[in-house]
Amino acid sequence: MLSIFDIYKIGIGPSSSHTNGPMIAGYNFTHLIAPMINKVNRIQVDLYGSLSLTGKGHHTDKAVILGLLGNKPETIKINIANNKMKTVIKNSKLFLLGNRVIDFKYKSDIIFHSGNLPLHENGMTITAYDLFGSIILFETYYSNGGGFITTAKEFKKKKNNKDLISVEFPFKSASEMLFQAKKHGLSLGNMILRNELSFRTMRSIDRKVKNLWKVMLLCMKRGFETEGILEGGLNVTRRAPRLLKKLKSDESFDNDPMVIMDWINLFAFAVSEENASGGQIVTSPTNGSAGIIPAVLMYYNKFIKKLDTNQLKDFFAVSGAIGILYKTNASISGAEVGCQGEVGVSSSMAAASLTALRGGTNNQICIAAEIAMEHSLGMTCDPISGLVQVPCIERNAMGAIKAINASRIALKSSNTCLISLDKVINTMYQTGKDINKRYRETSLGGLASIYLEPPHE
């Protein structure tokens, strides 16, 4: 089994697969070449498929440099690191492991290829050369969604389900998960938390859950307070600060109960706009869908009941388990299955965990997850200019609303449904594979192919 904290990771925007994954690849590569560091004269990075086609909009090229400079997404000091990265580009010099200076020409040592590598749509290679142009080390990496990065060898190995941690209540499908919980008389949240004890202590789980929530809240706060235009050339104005001011001054709540939707939109906007600007966020399960889980949590916290640590643990446990099912049985990569693998999966996760907090049965939890995905099937991933802005920011708000509605439908339904969660997960994956690659995070089709005129005042 994977850990729920493999699904929930702290990183930086705008993309888990296109920013965080390549940064980790660069970081890992520097440690591979450490024993031969004094022989390294040049490093070349080759980006393929979606990493190439939408790489500049997702900061993939810059993320690799940051990784080669020794940065990791969860610990990076972004302002300091960005200044060093700009110095690399300006001076064409790269510091490896802090003590080896090599030539690094941004325009020729990072190469963008339109074709794919064989195992996944997000592929890249890093090559180290010596003074005579001979290859010292060559490695292929795949960034397969949610900040997960694997070498070609590891990718093939994980396809065979090796190297997984043994847990108390193992399951490979939603039906097995429900069977285990029923057999042992446990709620899904309690069962998943007991599985998590195979990875870490309960004290560590408490600490990590609190930290995830803290990072989400800080991200949302920055989103509330930061005004202006998002970088990238689309001239997208941050909406969260203005919407918050309007909601605080609006006294029409008694006459318009639907204003709750405006608050949910606000929460999603704030996080998604921070992600689009390269801020620190929590992948849930990806950066492109990072606004949905915090928005649903804040909805519960503000309008239903103030969250405590036990509720947070239950929420992250259930949603993490649903995320694991999608990750291991389908995909959470927009480049592989479209946005149904990002916003769709996050909405499904949020629907399930909200249902758990509202006292739903184990079956109702899975029904909620199924409903949210059922109505996300076929969702394309077509970010304009490769930027996680349009339609991504609004799509997070819509995903949060969908999750809440899916939970409400499930809670008022019976404990059975015609389509199981396992069937919808399989359908999502097959649908994603059937989607033309133009609509799978390549910026070659859909909204991404629309010519945008300058906005009119």
Side-chain angles (χ1 to χ4, degrees):
M1 293 293 297
L2 292 172
S3 162
I4 60 173
F5 298 108
D6 290 321
I7 300 297
Y8 286 106
K9 298 187 287 286
I10 295 172
I12 61 167
S15 172
S16 48
S17 59
H18 289 63
T19 312
N20 294 339
M23 187 188 301
I24 295 169
Y27 176 86
N28 289 351
F29 189 81
T30 63
H31 288 268
L32 286 178
I33 62 172
M36 56 198 85
I37 189 72
N38 291 329
K39 296 181 180 179
V40 178
N41 184 65
R42 185 173 76 86
I43 285 180
Q44 179 176 305
V45 178
D46 291 81
L47 303 174
Y48 295 87
S50 182
L51 288 185
S52 171
L53 293 169
T54 65
K56 290 188 177 180
H58 286 100
H59 302 175
T60 304
D61 46 353
K62 298 175 182 177
V64 176
I65 295 174
L66 289 172
L68 291 172
L69 287 171
N71 295 287
K72 294 192 295 183
E74 65 268 27
T75 57
I76 189 172
K77 305 296 182 185
I78 191 64
N79 291 331
I80 296 173
N82 276 339
N83 287 334
K84 290 182 178 179
M85 179 265 297
K86 291 174 183 176
T87 300
V88 170
I89 295 174
K90 179 181 178 181
N91 298 335
S92 298
K93 299 290 184 182
L94 179 67
F95 284 80
L96 287 175
L97 299 175
N99 58 17
R100 175 68 172 171
V101 183
I102 64 170
D103 290 334
F104 187 86
K105 295 178 174 60
Y106 169 77
K107 291 185 178 180
S108 60
D109 287 334
I110 298 182
I111 303 173
F112 295 82
H113 304 269
S114 59
N116 289 350
L117 291 179
L119 298 180
H120 194 274
E121 289 78 357
N122 286 335
M124 60 183 288
T125 63
I126 307 180
T127 311
Y129 297 89
D130 65 14
L131 182 62
F132 305 101
S134 298
I135 296 176
I136 301 173
L137 183 67
F138 172 86
E139 189 58 88
T140 300
Y141 296 97
Y142 290 98
S143 182
N144 55 338
F148 288 85
I149 194 83
T150 62
T151 65
K153 182 178 180 180
E154 291 168 342
F155 194 97
K156 294 175 182 178
K157 193 175 182 182
K158 289 191 176 183
K159 285 292 185 182
N160 294 324
N161 291 322
K162 296 179 181 179
D163 287 346
L164 298 179
I165 300 296
S166 297
V167 296
E168 186 177 0
F169 307 106
F171 58 86
K172 295 180 181 179
S173 64
S175 61
E176 290 180 7
M177 180 177 71
L178 287 171
F179 174 79
Q180 287 278 36
K182 183 177 181 180
K183 177 182 177 181
H184 296 93
L186 296 169
S187 69
L188 287 181
N190 284 335
M191 187 181 81
I192 302 305
L193 286 172
R194 284 175 61 171
N195 278 352
E196 198 63 28
L197 292 174
S198 298
F199 299 89
R200 53 188 53 85
T201 65
M202 187 59 72
R203 184 175 181 180
S204 176
I205 294 171
D206 287 353
R207 184 168 60 251
K208 291 180 77 69
V209 161
K210 289 177 182 177
N211 191 45
L212 288 176
W213 182 225
K214 177 183 177 181
V215 172
M216 287 180 176
L217 290 175
L218 288 173
C219 178
M220 201 174 294
K221 183 175 185 293
R222 293 193 303 273
F224 291 157
E225 297 173 349
T226 308
E227 299 180 348
I229 305 293
L230 292 172
E231 293 183 3
L234 295 183
N235 296 317
V236 173
T237 301
R238 285 177 177 257
R239 283 180 285 183
R242 183 184 300 178
L243 180 55
L244 178 60
K245 292 175 184 176
K246 180 174 176 58
L247 288 171
K248 284 184 174 180
S249 63
D250 197 342
E251 299 178 354
S252 64
F253 181 82
D254 291 337
N255 298 322
D256 181 14
M258 297 301 288
V259 75
I260 290 177
M261 292 179 64
D262 296 329
W263 281 98
I264 297 165
N265 291 335
L266 167 69
F267 303 145
F269 285 168
V271 174
S272 297
E273 288 168 359
E274 267 300 292
N275 175 64
S277 70
Q280 187 182 58
I281 53 87
V282 175
T283 62
S284 46
T286 69
N287 287 33
S289 60
I292 295 172
I293 295 287
V296 173
L297 275 169
M298 277 298 291
Y299 156 75
Y300 185 90
N301 188 66
K302 182 176 178 65
F303 295 105
I304 300 175
K305 183 180 179 182
K306 189 171 180 60
L307 288 161
D308 58 28
T309 302
N310 286 333
Q311 289 174 314
L312 286 169
K313 284 196 297 185
D314 200 40
F315 188 98
F316 285 120
V318 170
S319 57
I322 299 299
I324 288 170
L325 289 175
Y326 281 103
K327 172 64 181 172
T328 55
N329 296 316
S331 174
I332 57 173
S333 168
E336 188 175 11
V337 294
C339 200
Q340 56 177 1
E342 297 196 42
V343 164
V345 171
S346 187
S347 184
S348 183
M349 291 165 58
S353 46
L354 178 61
T355 303
L357 290 188
R358 298 300 304 271
T361 65
N362 291 342
N363 282 339
Q364 287 174 325
I365 288 169
C366 288
I367 291 170
E370 181 276 324
I371 292 171
M373 176 52 75
E374 181 182 342
H375 302 288
S376 299
L377 291 175
M379 187 184 294
T380 59
C381 186
D382 47 357
I384 296 177
S385 298
L387 300 167
V388 190
Q389 297 178 17
V390 181
C392 315
I393 293 170
E394 287 183 355
R395 193 167 279 175
N396 273 257
M398 297 297 289
I401 296 292
K402 185 182 295 183
I404 294 168
N405 195 30
S407 175
R408 295 182 68 85
I409 292 172
L411 286 167
K412 292 174 174 58
S413 302
S414 66
N415 268 341
T416 60
C417 63
L418 184 63
I419 303 173
S420 70
L421 178 56
D422 287 324
K423 289 180 179 178
V424 85
I425 290 175
N426 180 64
T427 300
M428 183 274 276
Y429 185 67
Q430 294 302 323
T431 301
K433 288 301 185 181
D434 288 339
I435 294 175
N436 188 293
K437 68 178 182 179
R438 292 168 57 83
Y439 306 104
R440 287 188 274 133
E441 207 166 1
T442 59
S443 283
L444 296 176
L447 291 175
S449 64
I450 294 174
Y451 171 75
L452 293 180
E453 296 180 355
H456 299 289
E457 294 294 337

